[in-house]
Amino acid sequence: MKKPRIKNEDFEKLQAMARFQRFKTDFLGNPIEGCDAASFLSQNAEIFGREIYKFSAPDKSPFILDIGSNIGMSMIYFKYLFEGARIIGFEPDPMIFDLLVKNLRSFDITDSEIHNFACSDKEGNLSFKSNNADGGKITNEHGVAGLKTVKSVKASDFINEDVDLIKIDAEGSEYEILKDLEKKLPHVKQIFLEYHAFSVVESNLGPMLSMLEKNNFFYLIEH
């Protein structure tokens, strides 16, 4: 993307900021709010610099599920890529969701559907551990200060037509989400899945890759 995204002086200010502080800046000519400058700059580099979510679609209004929308950088990018994109976004962290709402409004993205839910393989309530940035995650920990209860839904319930792209960035909940989506995978054309491995949790990477192979997906792994 050749269009300047952040002014040099704003970029330097963001680089100098301490972690986990709220900020406002201009991005692509629009005001944007965040809660952690380091996370924002990383998303800027990956999503708009390297364009890790770039994909092709048969028309200008692809249907996208954005699981883990965070403050909205991915949804803003999808709308930059396809102005007519139809997006359903999910973000479980209430504080982050508030920023998501503000940023989509700032970019005049009013035709997308966003939900303050976590996605999983079952409906109900789950414990959520926020890190006040882009690393909040569903957890089985108990008695930890600051845990929040969030509502979980099944993303498969939101699929009633072919899906051009599902993006999953869920900090460790990828397997549960993909397990729920398996029955709808024949209707999904492309998936971007960011896999998170934790030393205290058994790896589900093998079963996820097997699930994709079984449903005729070719996959590319990038470290």
Side-chain angles (χ1 to χ4, degrees):
M1 182 179 293
K2 296 180 180 179
K3 183 178 179 181
R5 303 188 294 275
I6 308 172
K7 294 177 182 177
N8 287 337
E9 57 268 31
D10 292 339
F11 187 85
E12 292 173 0
K13 289 178 183 177
L14 290 167
Q15 278 191 314
M17 281 188 68
R19 296 294 307 270
F20 313 119
Q21 291 187 7
R22 295 285 287 258
F23 68 87
K24 294 182 181 180
T25 192
D26 282 342
F27 184 71
L28 289 171
N30 295 83
I32 194 167
E33 294 187 43
C35 52
D36 180 51
S39 299
F40 171 73
L41 292 175
S42 175
Q43 291 177 31
N44 167 55
E46 290 193 342
I47 299 173
F48 288 87
R50 293 174 54 210
E51 295 194 83
I52 60 173
Y53 297 149
K54 190 172 185 179
F55 72 103
S56 57
D59 56 49
K60 297 180 179 179
S61 57
F63 178 36
I64 302 168
L65 256 61
D66 186 354
I67 300 174
S69 298
N70 200 249
I71 66 169
M73 295 286 277
S74 51
M75 293 184 69
I76 293 167
Y77 174 77
F78 290 137
K79 278 294 191 177
Y80 175 90
L81 200 61
F82 299 102
E83 187 175 351
R86 297 171 296 128
I87 310 170
I88 301 177
F90 302 88
E91 173 51 49
D93 190 316
M95 184 269 288
I96 302 290
F97 184 80
D98 180 61
L99 294 173
L100 172 64
V101 171
K102 291 179 179 178
N103 291 334
L104 295 185
R105 188 182 302 130
S106 175
F107 279 78
D108 199 28
I109 299 174
T110 58
D111 57 351
S112 295
E113 185 179 327
I114 53 174
H115 299 280
N116 188 195
F117 301 148
C119 290
S120 188
D121 57 349
K122 57 183 176 297
E123 297 179 347
N125 294 316
L126 297 172
S127 292
F128 183 83
K129 186 177 182 179
S130 175
N131 79 333
N132 296 317
D134 59 355
K137 62 182 181 179
I138 299 300
T139 180
N140 291 322
E141 296 178 72
H142 300 286
V144 178
L147 289 184
K148 302 173 183 176
T149 299
V150 298
K151 181 179 178 180
S152 71
V153 295
K154 296 191 292 184
S156 61
D157 289 341
F158 293 79
I159 298 177
N160 298 302
E161 60 180 290
D162 287 347
V163 183
D164 293 284
L165 177 72
I166 296 180
K167 173 222 134 184
I168 304 173
D169 183 2
E171 301 295 325
S173 296
E174 300 87 13
Y175 177 66
E176 289 79 10
I177 293 169
L178 198 60
K179 189 165 61 172
D180 161 60
L181 289 170
E182 184 173 17
K183 58 183 174 293
K184 295 290 182 75
L185 288 182
H187 302 285
V188 179
K189 298 175 183 177
Q190 299 172 79
I191 298 174
F192 181 97
L193 188 152
E194 183 167 330
Y195 174 69
H196 299 81
F198 301 100
S199 60
V200 295
V201 180
E202 183 179 355
S203 171
N204 286 311
L205 181 58
M208 285 193 292
L209 296 180
S210 296
M211 200 183 306
L212 293 173
E213 286 181 349
K214 187 171 68 174
N215 286 278
N216 301 313
F217 279 86
F218 294 95
Y219 56 80
L220 171 67
I221 299 176
E222 182 176 342
H223 186 268

